[in-house]
């Protein structure tokens, strides 16, 4: 077993160890590579105590001062990007190039919020009477519990911690059990900035116990969660007990629609780029490809040709696809493909696990393209979260609009066209929180990332993302 760095919790600015540990597995080998502390109620309470004590002084600091810590954090991450990216790939599986992009993207996101924290504006409103003066100010929400998933273990930490701290909130972060070491290593870099004790705390361990402790404690004023729709719904119910503020970024079922007037080469490349990033484990990843019947054949050929070139293997080798996160993800992909084949879908390439000496006992699945897909197949209704590209043929815009309207999800939708009228017609009618036109890249610091319906509530990114960590206060002054 390869023991790497020391792993610990961060509570009140100090390393905190617990005797019990949980194993961390490398999905490319199926081997245990490390252990992290199995924190629970006691550690979470201590972290909340620390965050609560730190809140008022942190909120009082000028945004410039708060920004200085965030900027130093971003610099530390960039300085250590190679080391952090390796750690990320080891526990998550994605290719090293993607991990490097993720660490660099995290630093950009943190820098953006360091600046945006300086731009919190209120309002002055005309009074209801001659002597009333109304102002509206924005103040940090308070202590926030941040819960992150395993698919982007670095970016998710940055995307929650940075806006919260920039707004003047203090935080307790609970990263996913599958990928805790990236969060621990990123916290180490945050602590090196000299951040005031308790402003940011980290607890790894039993998710439901840590979550429960945060929900029961009145001092925690907000929970920001990113993960599955199933867990998100449970947490939303828990939030009701104390009417805690909550942001949720949950699952999706993103369609991409390719119209006959599109640049087909561009569309094929962008689709493959998005669909197979992170081995298809991306909430805003394409789940279903609607190809107009006039271009279906040529688009399918181009996609299949690009997919056939993708190299699968251990993320630290020169590959485009790593493994899935675990065995149950593999089983899920197989289940969806089985159902599709039974209902008449054709597997054009891939379609099975990869077992070879080079792939050891990792959770590898061949990049897959499936044609003749129909909407009665589970593949089109459930989030695949794997490297499978299902292609459907359509004729009328209305068919796709109905698909998004009927879907319980509404995170992202993409389409390719050169018709400007269609651009507005579709963008305004598609039922999703984010629309990508002639590109499948959405995640940039200045834009509001998030979904509607069962894909969540609240936004990450942009000034909207800062609002998630701010409360409004209405001040009425009556002059004598
Ligand atoms: P995924 O399918 O991406 O693993 P989950 O919703 O299971 O999504 O997990 C996302 C995050 O939520 C992880 O950090 C996980 O540990 C955490 N989590 C899971 N169950 C709970 C719970 N009951 N309370 C709080 N956090 C939870």
């Amino acid at each position: 077993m390869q023991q790497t760095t020391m792993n610990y919790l961060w509570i009140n600015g100090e390393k905190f160890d617990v005797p019990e540990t949980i194993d961390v597995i490398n999905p490319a080998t199926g081997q245990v590579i490390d252990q992290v502390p199995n924190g629970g109620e006691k550690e979470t309470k201590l972290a909340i105590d620390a965050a609560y004590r730190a809140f008022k002084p942190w909120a009082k600091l000028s945004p410039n001062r708060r920004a200085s810590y965030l900027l130093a954090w971003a610099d530390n991450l960039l300085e250590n990007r190679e080391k952090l990216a390796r750690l990320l790939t080891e526990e998550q599986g994605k290719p090293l190039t993607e991990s490097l992009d993720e660490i660099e993207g995290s630093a950009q996101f943190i820098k953006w919020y360091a600046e945006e924290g300086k731009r919190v504006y209120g309002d002055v409103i005309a009074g209801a009477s001659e002597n009333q003066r109304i102002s509206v100010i924005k103040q940090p929400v308070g202590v926030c519990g941040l819960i992150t998933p395993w698919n982007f273990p670095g970016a998710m930490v940055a995307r929650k911690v940075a806006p919260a701290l920039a707004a003047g909130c203090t935080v307790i972060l609970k990263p996913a059990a599958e990928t805790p070491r990236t969060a621990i290593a990123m916290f180490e870099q945050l602590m090196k900035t000299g951040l005031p004790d308790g402003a940011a705390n980290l607890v790894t361990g039993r998710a439901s116990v840590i979550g429960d402790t945060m929900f029961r404690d009145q001092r925690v004023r907000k929970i920001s969660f990113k993960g599955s729709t199933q867990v998100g719904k449970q947490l939303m119910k828990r939030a009701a007990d104390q009417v805690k503020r909550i942001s949720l970024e949950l699952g999706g079922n993103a369609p991409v629609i390719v119209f006959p007037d599109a640049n087909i080469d561009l569309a094929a490349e962008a689709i493959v780029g998005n669909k197979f990033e992170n081995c298809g484990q991306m909430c805003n990843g394409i789940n279903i490809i609607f190809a107009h019947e006039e271009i279906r054949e040529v688009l399918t050929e181009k996609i299949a040709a690009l997919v056939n070139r993708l190299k699968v293997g251990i993320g630290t080798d020169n590959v485009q696809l790593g493994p899935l996160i675990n065995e149950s993800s593999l089983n899920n992909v197989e289940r969806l493909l089985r159902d599709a084949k039974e209902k008449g879908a054709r597997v054009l390439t891939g379609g099975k696990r990869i077992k070879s000496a080079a792939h050891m006992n990792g959770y590898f699945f061949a990049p897959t393209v499936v044609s003749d897909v129909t909407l009665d197949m589970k593949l089109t209704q459930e989030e695949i979260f794997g490297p499978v590209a299902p292609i459907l043929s359509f004729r009328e815009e209305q068919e796709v609009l109905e698909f998004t309207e009927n879907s319980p999800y509404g995170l992202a939708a993409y389409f390719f066209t050169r018709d400007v009228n269609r651009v507005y017609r579709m963008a305004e009618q598609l039922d999703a929180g984010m629309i990508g036109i002639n590109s499948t890249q959405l995640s940039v610091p200045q834009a509001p990332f998030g979904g509607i319906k069962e894909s969540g509530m609240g936004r990450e990114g942009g000034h909207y993302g800062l609002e998630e960590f701010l409360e409004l206060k209405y001040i009425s002054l009556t002059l004598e």
Side-chain angles (χ1 to χ4, degrees):
M1 187 193 307
Q2 172 197 353
Q3 282 284 359
T4 51
T5 45
M6 274 291 294
N7 294 312
Y8 26 70
L9 314 179
W10 280 101
I11 298 176
N12 201 33
E14 285 181 4
K15 295 172 182 174
F16 191 98
D17 211 358
V18 296
E20 226 183 289
T21 56
I22 38 178
D23 289 343
V24 181
I25 289 168
N26 180 344
T29 62
Q31 302 287 310
V32 174
I33 47 166
D34 210 347
Q35 272 109 22
V36 298
N38 193 10
E41 185 178 354
K42 180 180 142 213
E43 293 74 28
T44 310
K45 272 195 173 146
L46 287 171
I48 297 171
D49 291 345
Y52 187 70
R53 275 195 308 275
F55 172 61
K56 281 189 182 153
W58 179 251
K60 234 187 233 168
L61 283 186
S62 74
N64 278 329
R65 288 282 305 284
R66 289 199 295 265
S68 68
Y69 295 109
L70 290 173
L71 291 171
W73 186 27
D75 286 341
N76 290 349
L77 295 181
L78 289 174
E79 247 171 58
N80 291 280
R81 72 186 105 189
E82 295 281 343
K83 195 175 84 187
L84 289 163
R86 271 185 189 277
L87 204 68
L88 200 165
T89 288
E90 258 178 29
E91 65 181 4
Q92 202 277 343
K94 66 179 68 175
L96 198 54
T97 46
E98 287 186 24
S99 295
L100 276 167
D101 283 350
E102 184 170 339
I103 299 298
E104 280 166 22
S106 300
Q108 296 314 323
F109 202 88
I110 294 165
K111 284 185 182 180
W112 196 87
Y113 270 108
E115 294 305 321
E116 193 63 9
K118 301 170 186 172
R119 290 183 274 275
V120 174
Y121 306 122
D123 283 308
V124 176
I125 300 173
S129 62
E130 281 164 18
N131 55 353
Q132 188 192 21
R133 300 291 179 272
I134 296 175
S135 49
V136 180
I137 63 168
K138 290 182 186 166
Q139 294 180 308
V141 171
V143 174
C144 298
L146 313 175
I147 302 173
T148 54
W150 50 260
N151 58 347
F152 289 90
M156 295 306 135
V157 171
R159 290 165 69 98
K160 295 218 180 285
V161 174
L165 290 181
C169 295
T170 55
V171 304
I172 300 115
L173 171 75
K174 194 217 81 64
E178 293 84 349
T179 56
R181 297 191 315 162
T182 307
I184 292 171
M186 286 176 75
F187 254 65
E188 172 126 39
Q189 299 305 328
L190 176 57
M191 294 302 146
K192 272 186 3 200
T193 66
L195 189 79
D197 292 347
N201 307 275
L202 170 73
V203 183
T204 56
R206 294 182 288 277
S208 58
V209 178
I210 298 169
D212 211 52
T213 311
M214 297 202 280
F215 274 106
R216 270 191 281 113
D217 198 312
Q218 286 215 335
R219 295 171 300 173
V220 177
R221 302 288 285 271
K222 158 143 197 154
I223 300 286
S224 179
F225 170 83
K226 195 154 181 150
S228 62
T229 296
Q230 185 202 358
V231 174
K233 284 179 181 176
Q234 286 170 23
L235 301 191
M236 195 171 169
K237 285 185 190 148
R238 289 299 318 270
D241 289 342
Q242 295 177 359
V243 196
K244 263 192 218 309
R245 279 187 60 176
I246 188 157
S247 300
L248 301 169
E249 214 264 88
L250 311 174
N253 187 7
V256 58
I257 310 136
V258 185
F259 290 101
D261 60 8
N263 178 334
I264 306 296
D265 287 313
L266 174 97
E269 273 187 32
I271 290 169
V272 172
N274 169 301
K275 175 67 246 186
F276 295 94
E277 183 180 342
N278 199 10
C279 204
Q281 303 168 113
M282 200 160 73
C283 54
N284 62 313
I286 292 165
N287 214 53
I288 170 167
I289 301 164
F290 285 96
H292 192 274
E293 59 181 19
E294 281 173 28
I295 49 92
R296 182 189 56 85
E297 219 162 296
V298 55
L299 180 72
T300 305
E301 270 168 28
K302 285 181 194 288
I303 288 177
L306 290 170
V307 171
N308 278 328
R309 277 193 239 145
L310 298 175
K311 243 175 88 186
V312 185
I314 294 171
T316 43
D317 293 344
N318 189 19
V319 295
Q320 285 83 45
L321 255 83
L324 285 163
I325 192 72
N326 54 31
E327 182 74 24
S328 82
S329 286
L330 276 177
N331 291 337
N332 191 47
V333 169
E334 284 181 331
R335 176 183 65 85
L336 295 174
L337 272 176
R338 213 168 28 246
D339 170 78
K341 282 194 279 186
E342 278 165 19
K343 291 174 181 157
R346 270 194 317 134
V347 174
L348 301 182
T349 184
K352 52 185 183 306
R353 291 176 188 229
I354 305 180
K355 286 254 175 238
S356 75
H359 295 94
M360 295 184 271
N361 290 319
Y363 310 118
F364 292 99
F365 200 87
T368 301
V369 180
V370 188
S371 72
D372 298 11
V373 171
T374 48
L375 288 178
D376 60 335
M377 297 173 188
K378 290 186 179 139
L379 206 52
T380 65
Q381 307 298 331
E382 297 179 26
E383 201 175 20
I384 303 171
F385 240 58
V388 178
I391 304 178
L392 278 86
S393 174
F394 80 99
R395 210 184 148 80
E396 306 292 338
E397 286 175 7
Q398 200 53 35
E399 294 169 47
V400 191
L401 292 173
E402 274 169 24
F403 170 80
T404 60
E405 206 168 313
N406 295 335
S407 171
Y409 296 111
L411 190 58
Y414 308 90
F415 62 91
F416 288 81
T417 182
R418 284 168 167 144
D419 176 344
V420 71
N421 295 303
R422 174 142 52 207
V423 163
Y424 270 89
R425 197 165 59 235
M426 291 299 288
E428 287 169 6
Q429 291 185 84
L430 281 165
D431 223 6
M434 298 180 285
I435 309 287
I437 305 157
N438 294 337
S439 160
T440 52
Q441 296 283 342
L442 288 173
S443 201
V444 293
Q446 60 269 50
F449 192 102
I452 59 172
K453 300 195 282 186
E454 292 187 23
S455 289
M457 57 198 330
R459 293 294 183 272
E460 228 166 55
H463 67 86
Y464 309 92
L466 200 63
E467 303 286 332
E468 299 286 324
F469 294 98
L470 294 167
E471 288 283 15
L472 289 182
K473 187 178 274 175
Y474 152 42
I475 301 173
S476 169
L477 168 69
T478 303
L479 301 171
E480 281 184 21

